Amino acid sequence: MSTDRLQKITTDHLRRDAFLYVRQSSLRQVMENTESTKRQYALRDRAIALGWPIERVHVIDSDLGLSGAHAQDRDGFQHLVSEVANGHAGIVIGLEVSRLARNNADWHRLIELSALSQTLILDEDGIYDPAHFNDRLLLGLKGAMSEAELHVLKARLQGGIRNKARRGELEIPLPIGLTYHPGGSVVLDPDAAIRAAIQLVFDTFRHTHSATATVKRFRREGWLFPRRIRRGIGKGEVMWGAMEHCRVIQVLHNPRYAGAFVYGRTRGAYRPGSRHTAVTVPREDWQVLIRDAHAGYIDWEDFERNQMILKQNAAGFGQSQRGSVPREGVGLLQGRVVCGICGARMRVRYQEVAGRLEPYYICTENAVRRAGKPCQSIRGRAVDDVISTLLLDRVAPTAIDVTLAVEEEIAGRIAQAQAQRTLQMERARYDAELARRRYLLVDPSNRLVADTLEADWNERLRHLDLLQQEQDRRQQADQKLLSTQECAQIRQLAEDFPRIWNDNRVAPLDRKRMVALLIDDVTLIKAERVTLQVRFRGGQTATLEVDKPKPIAQIRKTLPEVVAKIDALLETCSDREVAAELNALGYMNWRGDTFTAKKVTSLRNAYHLVSRHDRLRARGMLTAHEVAAQLNVCATTVHDWGRVGVLQVHRYGNDRRCLYAPPGDVVVVKGQGGRYCAVPPRLIPVQSTEQGAI
């Protein structure tokens, strides 16, 4: 060792401790590259030779098996930096710069702290004082070369991987249902149960167009789905469990099931405060995509169709999120209405009208994007009725074909479910037989092991028995679906389709699914009338028009002919009698209710019709008091004479509400009472009296 280098070590350095940092990049290097680890531990002797006592030479080896690309999660390196910052370290020892850090930011931070605390740095080449410019420059160059070396190593490895991936020969972990052949090719899993479970996922999604519906069917039928353990205990083994939504999404989004080799679907990303994470890469940025590279469960066209369906099912706002799956609500065209003004997708809003929910199709694009007014809002009841009529006209000619397709689909689903249950039974029988053989091979006297194996055997047998009972129950239920009576009911659906469509017991969700099979979208334009431009699946179009929904004020307004009829009836009838006549003629109000005297009175006041009382007064009819004053009798007598017919009565309300015709110039001739010969009173005109006297 040169004298110049020894002169850098002062008494102040020797007064402080020496720290030896030992690190290997991976656990595999720790296990296999033992010579490098020995060389690093041997540097402790150099510290002793330089004057540090052995008890003050601290070895930091807690970072063995960790990469030096970042200081995060390297507790040993962080402890070393803190000791240097606190001035406890006289010298930092490492085999080379790459052992301390492969990142320039971490390395220069250590150099800066070492310069401030007057700490030396020692590697296999010599001793450096970071406070001196030349040594600091040399340490900086070594750090840059160390980082560049890591980059070159990674680039060399990644280049080889990408080159092999471009040929489709890179072996990467395969999803469940695919495996590597001993010859290196990718083949379907030899386990028939696994293949059937994967195929069931694609077949069910093809029928339902919904990942959630696929999960519900697996749960309803009691089917299990496999997964392979990737790491840890039991690596490579297959476990069966309940189906989950994330599993369905993973299967549907994985192009390997379509027979395509893909590299670059994800990329690693480092986020502060967390470890490396995988970021999904868009399809156009995939590095390698080779179609029909190996066997698959579906073809590429089916894969593309599944991706489009999943994209449409994603609930979100924007032009790319079009035609969501049918959801709750009575709006028939939910997710399929397009604004004819701005071209955006219209939303559905519900409002309670007359005790029931009414759909309103409203365009909120201008309001949300530009804080303006909505383009248009249309009440959806009339629009839904027109679309329903159009669908009934289009569906009726092909109802028989649809019926036959339904029967075939039911038969196919039953056969598919039966095959899946049979595979589950075979797997359960194999597990029970395996548990039996394990139990028979154990020494009977070893009760600690024998009891455990016996309990496992019994558990497998109970599980097998439950599966058998469930299979019998499902088989009986499936037979009912294809019975003669059920087939006859299915065929009858073709003839009764309009009645079934309009049946209130049919869920709106089912109607929306039928609409989704026939209609792509409907464009609405609200003007004097509402124009509907219907685009069917397949390219056909149709244009319809409906009347614009009336405002509630006009809906509640009484028809002019009803008002005219009330005016005519008031000439001879009271309000109560007018209501009875209207009901007899079949007239109703806007709610569909019959008329009452109170409703007639309200209409009369609203339309300023002359009441029956005023009409009678205009004709000269008198009240009871006016007649009583004229005849010099009391009002009660007038009412009594009216009841017996002496006076002419005109009623304008109930029995007590009436007016009397003017009696004129008359003489009252009192009657005679009696049990057997009562004579009523009479009103004799004065002229008749005078003629009788002459």
Side-chain angles (χ1 to χ4, degrees):
M1 188 175 296
S2 63
T3 307
D4 184 33
R5 293 181 179 179
L6 291 176
Q7 291 177 354
K8 295 180 181 179
I9 303 176
T10 63
T11 306
D12 181 64
H13 294 142
L14 295 174
R15 181 176 54 82
R16 291 177 282 174
D17 296 341
F19 290 88
L20 171 61
Y21 183 77
V22 180
R23 187 189 65 81
Q24 288 276 57
S25 298
S26 64
L27 293 178
R28 182 176 180 180
Q29 292 181 1
V30 175
M31 299 298 297
E32 297 180 358
N33 301 344
T34 58
E35 194 64 31
S36 176
T37 307
K38 292 178 181 179
R39 290 176 59 196
Q40 296 184 62
Y41 280 113
L43 293 177
R44 180 171 46 187
D45 297 334
R46 289 194 58 182
I48 297 174
L50 292 174
W52 274 273
I54 188 172
E55 64 273 7
R56 290 173 53 194
V57 178
H58 305 286
V59 179
I60 301 176
D61 54 3
S62 59
D63 292 343
L64 282 172
L66 298 178
S67 173
H70 299 283
Q72 186 179 6
D73 297 331
R74 284 202 295 158
D75 297 335
F77 181 77
Q78 295 177 5
H79 173 66
L80 174 65
V81 172
S82 63
E83 293 292 338
V84 172
N86 292 327
H88 299 162
I91 190 171
V92 174
I93 306 172
L95 182 63
E96 54 193 19
V97 172
S98 62
R99 301 300 173 183
L100 291 168
R102 288 273 192 184
N103 182 283
N104 267 334
D106 300 334
W107 174 241
H108 282 278
R109 187 178 298 110
L110 178 62
I111 294 177
E112 185 69 24
L113 293 175
S114 299
L116 293 176
S117 60
Q118 299 294 323
T119 301
L120 302 177
I121 296 178
L122 182 146
D123 63 5
E124 197 175 30
D125 297 332
I127 302 175
Y128 307 94
D129 187 357
H132 294 173
F133 173 76
N134 292 333
D135 290 352
R136 186 169 182 171
L137 178 62
L138 184 58
L139 290 174
L141 292 175
K142 284 192 172 185
M145 293 174 62
S146 177
E147 186 176 17
E149 181 185 7
L150 180 62
H151 172 74
V152 171
L153 291 175
K154 287 184 177 181
R156 188 180 302 165
L157 294 174
Q158 291 295 328
I161 292 174
R162 283 193 296 268
N163 189 46
K164 198 171 184 179
R166 293 188 186 99
R167 303 194 304 269
E169 300 176 359
L170 180 64
E171 290 192 5
I172 55 180
L174 295 174
I176 189 70
L178 297 174
T179 185
Y180 284 106
H181 189 268
S185 61
V186 178
V187 296
L188 302 183
D189 199 294
D191 193 334
I194 296 178
R195 295 199 307 271
I198 299 295
Q199 194 64 47
L200 270 176
V201 173
F202 291 108
D203 293 344
T204 305
F205 185 78
R206 186 182 301 111
H207 295 147
T208 61
H209 289 185
S210 172
T212 302
T214 303
V215 177
K216 289 181 179 179
R217 187 187 180 193
F218 269 76
R219 295 294 182 95
R220 183 175 61 253
E221 297 289 346
W223 297 336
L224 302 179
F225 192 78
R227 70 179 182 91
R228 195 179 302 277
I229 301 177
R230 296 296 182 184
R231 59 180 64 87
I233 301 176
K235 180 181 179 181
E237 295 182 0
V238 176
M239 295 185 61
W240 293 79
M243 174 61 82
E244 297 179 356
H245 185 269
C246 61
R247 299 289 294 158
V248 176
I249 295 298
Q250 291 173 1
V251 171
L252 296 175
H253 279 305
N254 198 327
R256 298 306 296 262
Y257 289 110
F261 177 85
V262 177
Y263 179 77
R265 289 180 61 207
T266 60
R267 61 178 177 83
Y270 177 78
R271 297 176 180 176
S274 62
R275 298 185 177 182
H276 287 272
T277 57
V279 179
T280 303
V281 177
R283 183 189 300 184
E284 56 271 13
D285 296 333
W286 290 354
Q287 299 181 23
V288 180
L289 173 58
I290 304 176
R291 301 179 184 177
D292 301 327
H294 54 79
Y297 290 87
I298 57 175
D299 54 22
W300 187 256
E301 288 73 17
D302 291 338
F303 175 77
E304 293 283 0
R305 183 166 52 252
N306 292 342
Q307 304 311 301
M308 182 61 64
I309 294 174
L310 291 173
K311 184 178 181 180
Q312 292 176 352
N313 292 351
F317 184 85
Q319 294 291 341
S320 61
Q321 307 295 342
R322 297 244 174 189
S324 60
V325 295
R327 303 186 184 279
E328 296 76 8
V330 296
L332 185 63
L333 299 178
Q334 168 254 324
R336 304 194 175 278
V337 186
V338 179
C339 179
I341 298 177
C342 66
R345 186 68 55 167
M346 299 181 71
R347 295 177 172 247
V348 184
R349 177 178 59 85
Y350 293 97
Q351 181 176 347
E352 186 174 356
V353 178
R356 65 177 183 177
L357 289 179
E358 291 287 343
Y360 286 82
Y361 299 119
I362 180 172
C363 177
T364 59
E365 181 73 11
N366 189 39
V368 173
R369 302 294 185 188
R370 293 171 286 276
K373 294 182 179 181
C375 295
Q376 55 183 351
S377 177
I378 303 172
R379 189 171 179 177
R381 181 65 62 179
V383 176
D384 292 349
D385 293 342
V386 172
I387 295 297
S388 299
T389 304
L390 178 63
L391 290 180
L392 292 177
D393 296 339
R394 294 295 181 98
V395 170
T398 59
I400 300 298
D401 297 336
V402 174
T403 303
L404 297 177
V406 170
E407 291 185 7
E408 293 178 359
E409 181 179 352
I410 293 177
R413 289 190 180 185
I414 291 176
Q416 193 178 44
Q418 181 65 25
Q420 182 66 15
R421 289 194 294 267
T422 301
L423 292 175
Q424 289 189 1
M425 287 290 299
E426 291 295 333
R427 187 171 63 253
R429 289 194 186 97
Y430 172 77
D431 293 340
E433 180 63 22
L434 182 61
R436 186 186 70 85
R437 292 200 301 265
R438 289 175 179 173
Y439 174 71
L440 294 178
L441 292 176
V442 73
D443 185 3
S445 60
N446 190 358
R447 299 310 305 170
L448 295 177
V449 178
D451 291 345
T452 303
L453 294 179
E454 184 180 9
D456 181 64
W457 184 19
N458 292 332
E459 181 64 27
R460 304 281 182 175
L461 291 176
R462 282 192 292 268
H463 179 64
L464 178 61
D465 183 62
L466 290 176
L467 284 180
Q468 184 64 49
Q469 295 178 8
E470 180 67 17
Q471 184 178 12
D472 295 341
R473 187 183 65 82
R474 293 283 185 180
Q475 189 172 3
Q476 294 176 1
D478 293 342
Q479 290 176 354
K480 294 180 180 179
L481 291 177
L482 287 181
S483 62
T484 305
Q485 182 180 0
E486 297 295 333
C487 292
Q489 292 180 358
I490 293 175
R491 292 181 179 274
Q492 190 178 0
L493 291 178
E495 302 176 359
D496 298 342
F497 183 75
R499 179 178 59 84
I500 295 173
W501 175 272
N502 297 319
D503 196 335
N504 294 330
R505 292 174 294 179
V506 178
L509 190 63
D510 296 332
R511 293 193 184 94
K512 294 179 185 180
R513 288 173 177 170
M514 287 186 278
V515 170
L517 296 176
L518 300 174
I519 294 179
D520 194 359
D521 55 45
V522 178
T523 303
L524 299 182
I525 302 176
K526 184 179 180 181
E528 294 297 329
R529 304 186 71 190
V530 179
T531 303
L532 290 76
Q533 297 176 356
V534 184
R535 186 161 61 96
F536 293 93
R537 294 195 179 274
Q540 297 183 1
T541 59
T543 303
L544 305 172
E545 288 187 355
V546 296
D547 293 331
K548 188 165 57 175
K550 297 179 180 179
I552 190 63
Q554 295 185 8
I555 295 175
R556 293 182 176 182
K557 188 175 182 180
T558 306
L559 298 177
E561 54 267 24
V562 176
V563 177
K565 189 64 177 179
I566 293 175
D567 191 17
L569 291 174
L570 285 174
E571 292 292 334
T572 58
C573 303
S574 63
D575 291 350
R576 189 183 304 274
E577 293 171 342
V578 169
E581 288 291 333
L582 292 176
N583 295 333
L585 294 174
Y587 291 105
M588 293 184 181
N589 67 352
W590 69 279
R591 292 179 181 269
D593 301 334
T594 57
F595 284 94
T596 62
K598 185 176 181 181
K599 293 178 181 178
V600 173
T601 303
S602 300
L603 288 174
R604 180 167 51 77
N605 295 330
Y607 288 94
H608 306 288
L609 301 180
V610 180
S611 66
R612 172 69 173 163
H613 175 272
D614 295 341
R615 292 170 191 257
L616 293 175
R617 293 291 287 179
R619 296 176 191 172
M621 302 303 163
L622 304 176
T623 64
H625 292 282
E626 292 174 346
V627 175
Q630 183 178 347
L631 298 179
N632 196 21
V633 294
C634 64
T636 303
T637 302
V638 173
H639 289 305
D640 292 339
W641 289 353
R643 281 194 294 270
V644 299
V646 175
L647 295 175
Q648 185 180 0
V649 181
H650 297 276
R651 303 189 183 279
Y652 63 89
N654 52 23
D655 293 340
R656 298 179 180 275
R657 296 177 180 270
C658 58
L659 295 176
Y660 299 91
D665 193 6
V666 297
V667 175
V668 178
V669 178
K670 296 183 178 180
Q672 296 179 357
R675 178 179 297 180
Y676 302 104
C677 55
V679 178
R682 291 178 301 166
L683 298 179
I684 302 175
V686 175
Q687 295 179 357
S688 300
T689 304
E690 292 176 353
Q691 291 176 0
I694 295 173

